[in-house]
């Protein structure tokens, strides 16, 4: 956006980035391609509602439902907004907590992130890049997966991105109030899922890194960044009790820290091509020293590094940095060409051969980002069966075959209880399924000493978390005393999501 000569130097420094080409183009020269890309993103995003109630629940989803009724009362859950929102949605959809009702609100939030991505980044990178980022995000299997989960990651992502977008507008327009309001909105996202709190330090620190690294004229304004930092420090000190209690609860539940696990699971959302695109965007941001691309880069690095540090102390998986996924996608879309309307506005009539080559390269680059994501999303909806173990099919099979005196021992016992006793709400205390996990690895061997018939339901991959001696004894007991009666095979790349059903007569 051009700045009149009469404005102050401070206002010049606070103007929107120079690559906001849409605002420079006249109204009659809007980017039609960007419009079509955005519509394609919104249409493709509807896949989040496809087969929403078809996939089986898994442990975390069943825990969502039971914690709505019994977990919140215990005081250990410090992010109640997501639970309340899903409970209200289930009630609105008839009160029956089936898979569709539990997942509907996360799917809506996941779809809403797509137009929000375009809205947040459009003034800074141009409408074409912002719409392309929304389209790439719509194709992401990782985004589709969490949009179809009865968890709170998409809701936290939406609120966090909305708040960050307001902060960005405040920082680059030199206005303090929007900057603070946006930061407050982003902070609310932590009440949907604590992982969203990783965004807050990044919003505070990133402007200062950018002011140091960026060229003159493209830096965020000084005053909003300073006021935000000072008030955020005061706010953090006032909420230190909530932060410490939340971290203590999380560390107690996820005590086994492993940076390796965090780094390996990152491959679920940063594919090789996306990583290459993000590196290309990084190179462009560093080479041009443009303020906003540098902000996207620094912000992303700060969030990812913060999660890496946390992973040393507690178990951190890829979904805990789900809030930063739109930023990674925008970084990967930075190499795309912007709308040529600015050149036309400057007096260049018609398209040049260079414009045509640039657009062709842009289409090829976008296709490289999209094609693998579209392929994996298609597989997700078909042969990969939502990338979830078929616990529902396994437990329903056992329930239909079992005798009245048979004992059922199984992994994901809360899920089994959900399907075998659908009216129960305290699923963490199952009565129809006996827990089988790392801490109860000896139970099947113990019950095998009795004459009571036993059904054992388990996922072979989860056995890898067991101690080697426990795993060996369990497999030996299966081979010696039991027989495989049903298997629900599902292999997704390097993961074994199969469910096996054994019986001991």
């Amino acid at each position: 956006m051009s700045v009149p000569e009469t404005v102050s130097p401070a206002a010049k420094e606070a103007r929107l980035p120079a690559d906001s080409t849409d605002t420079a183009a006249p109204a009659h020269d809007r980017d039609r391609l960007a419009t079509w890309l955005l519509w394609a993103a919104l249409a493709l995003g509807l896949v989040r509602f496809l087969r929403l109630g078809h996939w089986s629940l898994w442990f975390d989803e069943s825990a969502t439902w039971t914690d709505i009724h019994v977990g919140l009362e215990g005081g250990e859950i410090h992010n109640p907004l997501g639970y309340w929102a899903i409970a209200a949605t289930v009630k609105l959809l008839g009160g029956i907590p089936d898979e569709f009702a539990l997942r509907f609100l996360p799917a809506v939030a996941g779809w809403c992130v797509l137009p929000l991505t375009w809205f947040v980044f459009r003034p800074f990178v141009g409408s074409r890049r912002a719409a392309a980022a929304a389209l790439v995000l719509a194709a992401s299997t990782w985004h589709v997966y969490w949009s179809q989960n009865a968890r709170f990651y998409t809701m936290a992502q939406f609120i966090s991105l909305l708040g960050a977008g307001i902060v960005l507008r405040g920082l680059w327009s030199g206005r303090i109030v929007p900057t603070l309001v946006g930061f407050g909105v982003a902070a609310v996202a932590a009440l949907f899922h604590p992982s969203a709190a990783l965004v807050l330090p990044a919003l505070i620190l990133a402007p200062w890194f950018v002011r140091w690294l960026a060229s003159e004229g493209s830096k965020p304004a000084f005053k909003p960044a300073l006021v935000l930092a000072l008030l955020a420090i005061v706010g953090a000190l006032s909420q230190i009790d909530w932060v410490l209690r939340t971290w203590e609860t999380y560390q107690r539940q996820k005590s086994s820290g492993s940076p390796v696990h965090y780094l390996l699971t990152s491959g679920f959302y940063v594919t090789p091509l996306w990583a290459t695109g993000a590196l290309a965007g990084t190179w462009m941001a560093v080479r041009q020293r443009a303020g906003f691309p540098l902000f996207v880069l620094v912000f992303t690095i700060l969030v990812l590094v913060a999660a890496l540090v946390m992973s040393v102390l507690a178990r951190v998986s890829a979904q805990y940095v789900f809030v930063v996924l739109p930023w990674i996608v925008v970084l990967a879309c930075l190499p795309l060409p912007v709308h040529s309307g600015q050149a036309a506005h400057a007096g260049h009539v018609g398209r040049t051969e260079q414009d045509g080559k640039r657009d062709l390269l842009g289409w090829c680059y976008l296709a490289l980002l999209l094609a693998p994501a579209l392929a994996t999303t298609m597989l997700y909806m078909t042969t990969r069966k939502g990338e979830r173990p078929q616990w529902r099919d396994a437990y329903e099979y056992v329930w239909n075959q079992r005798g009245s005196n048979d004992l059922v021992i199984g992994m994901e016992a809360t899920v089994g209880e959900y399907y075998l006793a659908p009216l129960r709400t305290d699923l963490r205390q199952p009565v129809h399924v006996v827990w089988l996990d790392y801490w109860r690895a000896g139970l099947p061997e113990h019950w095998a000493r009795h004459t009571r018939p036993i059904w054992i339901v388990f996922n072979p991959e989860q056995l890898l978390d067991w101690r080697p001696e426990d795993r060996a004894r369990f497999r030996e007991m299966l081979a010696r005393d039991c027989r495989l009666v049903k298997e629900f095979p599902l292999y997704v790349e390097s993961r074994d999501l199969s469910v096996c059903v054994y019986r001991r007569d």
Side-chain angles (χ1 to χ4, degrees):
M1 179 184 294
S2 60
V3 180
E5 294 299 327
T6 56
V7 300
S8 66
K12 284 186 179 182
E13 184 183 37
R15 70 184 186 272
L16 290 178
D19 52 354
S20 303
T21 56
D22 290 329
T23 57
H28 66 271
D29 195 27
R30 296 298 181 188
D31 191 351
R32 293 183 179 178
L33 176 57
T35 302
W36 282 109
L37 288 174
L38 180 59
W39 279 111
L42 299 180
L44 180 60
L46 295 175
V47 75
R48 284 147 182 78
F49 300 95
L50 183 63
R51 313 195 82 180
L52 190 60
H54 184 75
W55 321 120
S56 168
L57 296 186
W58 61 292
F59 175 80
D60 282 9
E61 292 183 289
S62 62
T64 295
W65 179 241
T66 193
D67 286 342
I68 286 173
H69 296 87
V70 298
L72 291 174
E73 298 174 358
E76 290 192 348
I77 294 176
H78 308 297
N79 54 305
L81 293 186
Y83 293 93
W84 294 341
I86 288 181
T89 303
V90 171
K91 184 176 181 180
L92 183 66
L93 295 178
I96 300 176
D98 58 17
E99 295 90 344
F100 181 89
L102 289 170
R103 294 167 176 161
F104 182 73
L105 183 59
V108 171
W111 184 88
C112 289
V113 166
L114 305 178
L116 182 63
T117 297
W118 171 82
F119 173 78
V120 166
F121 296 108
R122 175 184 176 274
F124 305 97
V125 300
S127 186
R128 184 173 298 187
R129 288 171 175 167
L135 179 58
V136 173
L137 191 62
S140 167
T141 309
W142 190 236
H143 201 271
V144 172
Y145 176 83
W146 288 111
S147 296
Q148 294 196 323
N149 259 277
R151 299 298 286 169
F152 323 110
Y153 298 105
T154 54
M155 291 180 273
Q157 186 183 73
F158 178 86
I159 300 299
S160 175
L161 185 60
L162 176 62
I166 301 172
V167 170
L168 293 175
R169 282 161 169 77
L171 288 173
W172 261 276
S173 65
R175 293 181 293 173
I176 295 175
V177 173
T179 303
L180 299 181
V181 170
F183 187 82
V185 172
V188 171
L191 296 178
F192 285 90
H193 196 276
S195 62
L198 292 171
V199 167
L200 304 181
L203 286 176
I204 298 169
L205 296 175
W208 299 101
F209 281 99
V210 174
R211 287 187 59 82
W212 172 47
L213 297 171
S215 59
E216 293 297 328
S218 64
K219 300 179 180 181
F222 174 78
K223 286 185 179 179
L226 178 61
V227 174
L228 173 62
L230 294 176
L231 291 184
I233 292 173
V234 174
L237 292 175
S238 67
Q239 295 298 317
I240 191 66
D241 181 60
W242 180 88
V243 173
L244 293 177
R245 285 188 292 109
T246 302
W247 173 251
E248 182 184 357
T249 300
Y250 175 78
Q251 195 173 27
R252 184 168 59 252
Q253 295 173 345
K254 310 284 186 178
S255 56
S256 55
S258 172
V260 175
H261 175 77
Y262 165 64
L263 294 174
L264 289 177
T265 56
S266 297
F268 289 127
Y269 64 93
V270 183
T271 62
L273 280 175
W274 282 23
T276 303
L279 288 176
T282 298
W283 175 81
M284 176 178 291
V286 173
R287 182 176 64 88
Q288 295 180 350
R289 295 181 61 199
F292 186 75
L294 282 173
F295 189 98
V296 175
L297 173 62
V298 171
F299 177 90
T300 302
I301 291 175
L302 288 173
V303 174
L304 296 180
V305 169
L308 180 62
V309 172
M310 287 178 54
S311 70
V312 177
L313 304 172
R315 188 179 181 89
V316 175
S317 299
Q319 62 264 33
Y320 300 139
V321 290
F322 187 72
V323 288
V324 84
L325 184 59
W327 298 79
I328 296 174
V329 173
V330 168
L331 188 63
C333 288
L334 286 179
L336 288 169
V338 296
H339 181 33
S340 58
Q342 191 173 26
H345 185 48
H348 301 287
V349 180
R351 289 175 54 81
T352 66
E353 183 179 352
Q354 185 177 2
D355 290 333
K357 291 180 179 178
R358 181 191 61 186
D359 289 347
L360 178 60
L361 288 174
W363 277 110
C364 293
Y365 180 79
L366 182 58
L368 283 174
L369 295 178
L370 277 174
L374 290 171
T376 53
T377 296
M378 182 179 67
L379 292 172
Y380 168 91
M381 288 292 174
T382 54
T383 57
R384 293 186 175 183
K385 301 176 182 178
E387 298 185 2
R388 292 168 174 82
Q390 295 171 262
W391 296 112
R392 176 177 59 197
D393 295 334
Y395 278 110
E396 288 182 350
Y397 171 82
V398 170
W399 190 254
N400 291 330
Q401 300 294 324
R402 69 186 291 268
S404 58
N405 193 44
D406 291 1
L407 177 68
V408 180
I409 304 175
M411 293 179 175
E412 311 280 338
T414 59
V415 180
E417 193 74 6
Y418 170 86
Y419 287 115
L420 302 185
L423 297 181
R424 293 200 70 218
T425 54
D426 190 2
L427 304 179
R428 291 186 182 273
Q429 304 296 328
V431 296
H432 294 84
V433 182
V434 177
W435 277 101
L436 175 63
D437 55 21
Y438 176 90
W439 295 275
R440 305 169 181 87
L443 272 181
E445 191 175 25
H446 168 74
W447 283 104
R449 301 190 187 104
H450 301 268
T451 58
R452 190 177 179 183
I454 299 175
W455 297 84
I456 303 175
V457 182
F458 68 97
N459 165 231
E461 186 174 271
Q462 292 189 30
L463 295 176
L464 299 178
D465 293 331
W466 290 19
R467 289 183 293 268
E469 57 273 20
D470 290 337
R471 183 167 61 246
R473 283 199 301 268
F474 178 72
R475 291 191 179 279
E476 181 183 353
M477 185 270 296
L478 290 179
R480 183 185 65 245
D481 301 327
C482 306
R483 58 186 175 88
L484 177 66
V485 293
K486 190 69 174 177
E487 185 176 14
F488 301 87
L490 181 59
Y491 303 94
V492 179
E493 295 174 348
S494 61
R495 303 181 64 197
D496 183 1
L497 302 180
S498 305
V499 179
C500 301
V501 178
Y502 277 76
R503 175 176 169 81
R504 199 221 55 180
D505 297 315

